[in-house]
Amino acid sequence: MSLEATGLRTEYRTNPLGIDVAAPRFSWLVRSDRQNVLQRAWRVLVASSPELLAAEVGDLWDSGWSEGGDPCHIVYGGSLLPSATRAHWTVSVEDDAGERSPWAEPAWWETGLLDPAEWQHGWMAAPGFRVPHMRREFEVPSTVTRARLYVTALGLYRASINGRRVGDDWFTPGWTDYRHRVQVQTYDVTDLVVEGTNAMGLVVADGWYAGRLGWLGERAHYGPFPHVRAQLVVDHADGGRTVTGTDDTWRVWSGGIVDTDFLLGETYDSRRALGRWDEVGYAKRAFLPASHATATDGPGPEVALVASAAEPVRTHEELAPIAVTEPSPGVWILDFGQNLVGWVRLSVSGARGDVVQLRFAEMLRDDGHLYTDNLRSAQAVDSFTLGGGDDGDAGDEQGDTPETWEPMFTFHGFRFVEVTGWPGGGPPPAGALTAVVVHSLLEPAGTFECSHEMVSTLQSNIVWGLRGNFLEVPTDCPQRDERLGWMGDIQVFAATAAFNRDVAAFLTKWMWDVVDGQSADGGFPDVAPKVVDPQDGAPAWGDAGAIVPWRV
């Protein structure tokens, strides 16, 4: 086909689930097998079902043929959709020679909970637990046709249903100025919910809300402990609906995560692991009654619950070490060959109670040990205590069964990892430690390569630096006791970022953080979300409030 529209996106995203934009913007790409082709006109159809769209019926909106050469920011002009409603859309374009394309492969978007009154369940917290594991069982009376989980937190959460993790996002609901807005994620969990008895689990941690941020060593910038809010809406074949959420029927206990913090790292004791705690009929540990999982008021009415506007943080690739050294007895240094952001997954066999410690750094000292002075107060230490290979229950005391572990609520910036306490004295065998790369989902936009090796290496370093610092917000650095959304840094880097990666949704979300941080007289902050640094309106830093949207 010589002319086609492709790459359909809604609010910069492909098939977004749970958005709250009343009149979303459409974008697409125009492709042709001829040179110098320009779009001259377009027509968008929006329908309530794929079948109607296939019949070229736009019952929600038919734009008609409209003159225009820009395939970006075409605003939906149909009637407003209610909550939890999916709309399907397609587009045909006409080029400057008068050729019209066939209808594009359809895309869709689905609204989330648009009215705060639709939340039937409130906030929940367990302040007596460092990293609370919350669970409850519930009944689904008939066949499931559709299920959506709406979930958010002041802090971080990990959700599961019937023992299976919900989604593949990390560090949800993400970092915002929790005094103004908190993001909500919507998940399609139709395949996880069954007719009959079900179990739901929530693990909650401090994250940006109550954990350490910045170079002052302070924690709890927004609140002293995390909160979580969830609502599961299940539709049935008979037209009925079951709604389950966070209330005083939940039970709570502590699991294997002893402590976790972005700057300090994560400590895990497999002897305390709960096993299949988020499955139906669990009875290995006596979870405390509902009085310990306190229903709370949560944030005040001035705090808006908003849908996630950007793609989530996800894992993207895994790296094996390229070298292993022993600078001193029992101290093993693994070189992963690339400065990256993420963590290490380990697989280790050992006796119950053995402790393996991982320390992270970007460089080595002359004597081969880690150089960590630049981390300042960020300890960047992960610790794993072996449980004997049986989910923390007494059993394989000799440790013949390998245990696999990775942190849940922390990340590090590193190339080198120091390993101590390896059972048997080490070195860790091949495949025992794997570096996991994590960042916000950013699709490639432009690429650059040339015949000069050093220039190509510079370009590679630019892209790796972008990936490492684009985790929820555009940070200054991903490793030391800072990791803040410095406005001056992204003001300088925004054009480069936009060339290399599709950062439109990411920076759109972050600009809401910038707006939330404005002073009463309109001055933009130095960092967004605004925390630690109180200054407003600084040249170059404050300028990002105008320059970044312009670059996008």
mmCIF file of all heavy atoms in Angstrom, residues 88-111:
data_model
loop_
_atom_site.group_PDB
_atom_site.id
_atom_site.type_symbol
_atom_site.label_atom_id
_atom_site.label_comp_id
_atom_site.label_asym_id
_atom_site.label_seq_id
_atom_site.Cartn_x
_atom_site.Cartn_y
_atom_site.Cartn_z
ATOM 1 N N HIS A 88 -13.026 2.761 20.693
ATOM 2 C CA HIS A 88 -12.124 2.289 19.646
ATOM 3 C C HIS A 88 -12.066 3.345 18.549
ATOM 4 O O HIS A 88 -13.085 3.970 18.227
ATOM 5 C CB HIS A 88 -12.623 0.961 19.079
ATOM 6 C CG HIS A 88 -12.861 -0.092 20.115
ATOM 7 N ND1 HIS A 88 -11.960 -1.085 20.398
ATOM 8 C CD2 HIS A 88 -13.911 -0.276 20.967
ATOM 9 C CE1 HIS A 88 -12.441 -1.852 21.364
ATOM 10 N NE2 HIS A 88 -13.617 -1.381 21.727
ATOM 11 N N TRP A 89 -10.881 3.530 17.951
ATOM 12 C CA TRP A 89 -10.773 4.568 16.933
ATOM 13 C C TRP A 89 -9.820 4.176 15.816
ATOM 14 O O TRP A 89 -8.949 3.322 15.996
ATOM 15 C CB TRP A 89 -10.383 5.904 17.542
ATOM 16 C CG TRP A 89 -8.963 6.038 18.040
ATOM 17 C CD1 TRP A 89 -8.461 5.587 19.223
ATOM 18 C CD2 TRP A 89 -7.887 6.712 17.367
ATOM 19 N NE1 TRP A 89 -7.137 5.932 19.342
ATOM 20 C CE2 TRP A 89 -6.760 6.615 18.216
ATOM 21 C CE3 TRP A 89 -7.761 7.385 16.158
ATOM 22 C CZ2 TRP A 89 -5.521 7.174 17.876
ATOM 23 C CZ3 TRP A 89 -6.530 7.935 15.817
ATOM 24 C CH2 TRP A 89 -5.431 7.832 16.668
ATOM 25 N N THR A 90 -10.019 4.796 14.679
ATOM 26 C CA THR A 90 -9.156 4.602 13.534
ATOM 27 C C THR A 90 -9.099 5.901 12.754
ATOM 28 O O THR A 90 -9.843 6.848 13.040
ATOM 29 C CB THR A 90 -9.659 3.448 12.648
ATOM 30 O OG1 THR A 90 -8.705 3.199 11.602
ATOM 31 C CG2 THR A 90 -10.999 3.776 12.026
ATOM 32 N N VAL A 91 -8.218 5.948 11.757
ATOM 33 C CA VAL A 91 -8.050 7.160 10.974
ATOM 34 C C VAL A 91 -7.698 6.801 9.540
ATOM 35 O O VAL A 91 -7.051 5.782 9.274
ATOM 36 C CB VAL A 91 -6.954 8.069 11.588
ATOM 37 C CG1 VAL A 91 -5.598 7.371 11.586
ATOM 38 C CG2 VAL A 91 -6.864 9.410 10.876
ATOM 39 N N SER A 92 -8.140 7.628 8.623
ATOM 40 C CA SER A 92 -7.706 7.583 7.234
ATOM 41 C C SER A 92 -7.145 8.950 6.885
ATOM 42 O O SER A 92 -7.643 9.978 7.384
ATOM 43 C CB SER A 92 -8.874 7.239 6.302
ATOM 44 O OG SER A 92 -8.480 7.308 4.941
ATOM 45 N N VAL A 93 -6.092 8.973 6.074
ATOM 46 C CA VAL A 93 -5.471 10.242 5.710
ATOM 47 C C VAL A 93 -5.477 10.400 4.196
ATOM 48 O O VAL A 93 -5.527 9.425 3.438
ATOM 49 C CB VAL A 93 -4.027 10.346 6.244
ATOM 50 C CG1 VAL A 93 -4.014 10.280 7.760
ATOM 51 C CG2 VAL A 93 -3.136 9.262 5.649
ATOM 52 N N GLU A 94 -5.431 11.641 3.778
ATOM 53 C CA GLU A 94 -5.325 11.981 2.355
ATOM 54 C C GLU A 94 -4.044 12.771 2.152
ATOM 55 O O GLU A 94 -3.740 13.692 2.926
ATOM 56 C CB GLU A 94 -6.534 12.801 1.928
ATOM 57 C CG GLU A 94 -6.523 13.211 0.461
ATOM 58 C CD GLU A 94 -7.713 14.059 0.106
ATOM 59 O OE1 GLU A 94 -8.852 13.524 0.132
ATOM 60 O OE2 GLU A 94 -7.521 15.267 -0.186
ATOM 61 N N ASP A 95 -3.263 12.395 1.105
ATOM 62 C CA ASP A 95 -2.011 13.108 0.887
ATOM 63 C C ASP A 95 -2.193 14.259 -0.099
ATOM 64 O O ASP A 95 -3.298 14.516 -0.589
ATOM 65 C CB ASP A 95 -0.911 12.149 0.438
ATOM 66 C CG ASP A 95 -1.170 11.536 -0.932
ATOM 67 O OD1 ASP A 95 -2.013 12.064 -1.669
ATOM 68 O OD2 ASP A 95 -0.521 10.524 -1.256
ATOM 69 N N ASP A 96 -1.100 14.953 -0.359
ATOM 70 C CA ASP A 96 -1.171 16.144 -1.191
ATOM 71 C C ASP A 96 -1.390 15.834 -2.661
ATOM 72 O O ASP A 96 -1.597 16.751 -3.469
ATOM 73 C CB ASP A 96 0.090 16.990 -1.014
ATOM 74 C CG ASP A 96 1.356 16.184 -1.159
ATOM 75 O OD1 ASP A 96 1.282 14.944 -1.089
ATOM 76 O OD2 ASP A 96 2.429 16.778 -1.342
ATOM 77 N N ALA A 97 -1.369 14.551 -3.034
ATOM 78 C CA ALA A 97 -1.698 14.150 -4.400
ATOM 79 C C ALA A 97 -3.141 13.685 -4.521
ATOM 80 O O ALA A 97 -3.576 13.266 -5.594
ATOM 81 C CB ALA A 97 -0.751 13.045 -4.864
ATOM 82 N N GLY A 98 -3.875 13.715 -3.397
ATOM 83 C CA GLY A 98 -5.269 13.312 -3.416
ATOM 84 C C GLY A 98 -5.513 11.844 -3.125
ATOM 85 O O GLY A 98 -6.667 11.396 -3.126
ATOM 86 N N GLU A 99 -4.467 11.082 -2.848
ATOM 87 C CA GLU A 99 -4.640 9.660 -2.520
ATOM 88 C C GLU A 99 -5.091 9.523 -1.067
ATOM 89 O O GLU A 99 -4.573 10.208 -0.179
ATOM 90 C CB GLU A 99 -3.339 8.888 -2.726
ATOM 91 C CG GLU A 99 -3.461 7.405 -2.388
ATOM 92 C CD GLU A 99 -2.160 6.648 -2.576
ATOM 93 O OE1 GLU A 99 -1.202 7.217 -3.141
ATOM 94 O OE2 GLU A 99 -2.103 5.471 -2.139
ATOM 95 N N ARG A 100 -6.063 8.629 -0.849
ATOM 96 C CA ARG A 100 -6.545 8.365 0.507
ATOM 97 C C ARG A 100 -6.106 6.978 0.959
ATOM 98 O O ARG A 100 -6.155 6.018 0.182
ATOM 99 C CB ARG A 100 -8.069 8.483 0.568
ATOM 100 C CG ARG A 100 -8.558 9.911 0.443
ATOM 101 C CD ARG A 100 -10.063 10.023 0.576
ATOM 102 N NE ARG A 100 -10.483 11.433 0.549
ATOM 103 C CZ ARG A 100 -11.737 11.831 0.614
ATOM 104 N NH1 ARG A 100 -12.729 10.920 0.721
ATOM 105 N NH2 ARG A 100 -12.039 13.125 0.592
ATOM 106 N N SER A 101 -5.695 6.900 2.221
ATOM 107 C CA SER A 101 -5.236 5.624 2.772
ATOM 108 C C SER A 101 -6.416 4.765 3.208
ATOM 109 O O SER A 101 -7.515 5.283 3.441
ATOM 110 C CB SER A 101 -4.339 5.885 3.981
ATOM 111 O OG SER A 101 -5.114 6.323 5.097
ATOM 112 N N PRO A 102 -6.233 3.468 3.330
ATOM 113 C CA PRO A 102 -7.257 2.652 3.982
ATOM 114 C C PRO A 102 -7.326 3.005 5.465
ATOM 115 O O PRO A 102 -6.461 3.700 6.002
ATOM 116 C CB PRO A 102 -6.748 1.228 3.763
ATOM 117 C CG PRO A 102 -5.274 1.376 3.639
ATOM 118 C CD PRO A 102 -5.050 2.677 2.934
ATOM 119 N N TRP A 103 -8.370 2.537 6.124
ATOM 120 C CA TRP A 103 -8.482 2.767 7.565
ATOM 121 C C TRP A 103 -7.331 2.088 8.285
ATOM 122 O O TRP A 103 -6.956 0.970 7.976
ATOM 123 C CB TRP A 103 -9.813 2.261 8.092
ATOM 124 C CG TRP A 103 -10.989 3.036 7.587
ATOM 125 C CD1 TRP A 103 -11.908 2.630 6.673
ATOM 126 C CD2 TRP A 103 -11.352 4.358 7.964
ATOM 127 N NE1 TRP A 103 -12.829 3.617 6.439
ATOM 128 C CE2 TRP A 103 -12.519 4.697 7.230
ATOM 129 C CE3 TRP A 103 -10.828 5.314 8.842
ATOM 130 C CZ2 TRP A 103 -13.150 5.934 7.342
ATOM 131 C CZ3 TRP A 103 -11.466 6.543 8.964
ATOM 132 C CH2 TRP A 103 -12.602 6.846 8.231
ATOM 133 N N ALA A 104 -6.762 2.795 9.241
ATOM 134 C CA ALA A 104 -5.617 2.276 9.986
ATOM 135 C C ALA A 104 -6.035 1.147 10.916
ATOM 136 O O ALA A 104 -7.213 1.013 11.288
ATOM 137 C CB ALA A 104 -4.970 3.401 10.794
ATOM 138 N N GLU A 105 -5.061 0.339 11.304
ATOM 139 C CA GLU A 105 -5.303 -0.673 12.327
ATOM 140 C C GLU A 105 -5.846 0.024 13.575
ATOM 141 O O GLU A 105 -5.237 0.961 14.096
ATOM 142 C CB GLU A 105 -3.994 -1.390 12.666
ATOM 143 C CG GLU A 105 -4.118 -2.517 13.664
ATOM 144 C CD GLU A 105 -4.852 -3.727 13.107
ATOM 145 O OE1 GLU A 105 -4.884 -3.883 11.874
ATOM 146 O OE2 GLU A 105 -5.392 -4.502 13.917
ATOM 147 N N PRO A 106 -7.026 -0.401 14.079
ATOM 148 C CA PRO A 106 -7.672 0.360 15.155
ATOM 149 C C PRO A 106 -6.859 0.398 16.446
ATOM 150 O O PRO A 106 -6.069 -0.508 16.750
ATOM 151 C CB PRO A 106 -8.997 -0.388 15.360
ATOM 152 C CG PRO A 106 -9.229 -1.127 14.081
ATOM 153 C CD PRO A 106 -7.864 -1.504 13.589
ATOM 154 N N ALA A 107 -7.080 1.450 17.195
ATOM 155 C CA ALA A 107 -6.532 1.605 18.539
ATOM 156 C C ALA A 107 -7.701 1.827 19.492
ATOM 157 O O ALA A 107 -8.857 1.925 19.071
ATOM 158 C CB ALA A 107 -5.560 2.770 18.587
ATOM 159 N N TRP A 108 -7.417 1.895 20.785
ATOM 160 C CA TRP A 108 -8.482 2.125 21.763
ATOM 161 C C TRP A 108 -7.932 2.849 22.973
ATOM 162 O O TRP A 108 -6.723 2.933 23.185
ATOM 163 C CB TRP A 108 -9.154 0.809 22.188
ATOM 164 C CG TRP A 108 -8.241 -0.255 22.724
ATOM 165 C CD1 TRP A 108 -7.719 -1.308 22.030
ATOM 166 C CD2 TRP A 108 -7.733 -0.373 24.066
ATOM 167 N NE1 TRP A 108 -6.920 -2.079 22.845
ATOM 168 C CE2 TRP A 108 -6.924 -1.532 24.099
ATOM 169 C CE3 TRP A 108 -7.889 0.359 25.237
ATOM 170 C CZ2 TRP A 108 -6.253 -1.953 25.253
ATOM 171 C CZ3 TRP A 108 -7.241 -0.052 26.404
ATOM 172 C CH2 TRP A 108 -6.434 -1.206 26.383
ATOM 173 N N TRP A 109 -8.837 3.388 23.756
ATOM 174 C CA TRP A 109 -8.510 3.859 25.092
ATOM 175 C C TRP A 109 -9.668 3.523 26.009
ATOM 176 O O TRP A 109 -10.793 3.317 25.567
ATOM 177 C CB TRP A 109 -8.205 5.350 25.102
ATOM 178 C CG TRP A 109 -9.379 6.279 25.164
ATOM 179 C CD1 TRP A 109 -9.957 6.832 26.265
ATOM 180 C CD2 TRP A 109 -10.128 6.803 24.050
ATOM 181 N NE1 TRP A 109 -11.011 7.652 25.920
ATOM 182 C CE2 TRP A 109 -11.139 7.653 24.563
ATOM 183 C CE3 TRP A 109 -10.057 6.628 22.668
ATOM 184 C CZ2 TRP A 109 -12.058 8.325 23.762
ATOM 185 C CZ3 TRP A 109 -10.964 7.302 21.869
ATOM 186 C CH2 TRP A 109 -11.941 8.129 22.400
ATOM 187 N N GLU A 110 -9.363 3.416 27.301
ATOM 188 C CA GLU A 110 -10.396 3.106 28.283
ATOM 189 C C GLU A 110 -10.278 4.073 29.447
ATOM 190 O O GLU A 110 -9.180 4.327 29.948
ATOM 191 C CB GLU A 110 -10.266 1.666 28.776
ATOM 192 C CG GLU A 110 -11.360 1.243 29.749
ATOM 193 C CD GLU A 110 -11.257 -0.234 30.110
ATOM 194 O OE1 GLU A 110 -11.154 -1.056 29.191
ATOM 195 O OE2 GLU A 110 -11.263 -0.545 31.322
ATOM 196 N N THR A 111 -11.408 4.592 29.870
ATOM 197 C CA THR A 111 -11.418 5.525 30.994
ATOM 198 C C THR A 111 -11.296 4.771 32.318
ATOM 199 O O THR A 111 -11.674 3.603 32.435
ATOM 200 C CB THR A 111 -12.707 6.360 30.993
ATOM 201 O OG1 THR A 111 -13.837 5.478 30.982
ATOM 202 C CG2 THR A 111 -12.767 7.262 29.777
#
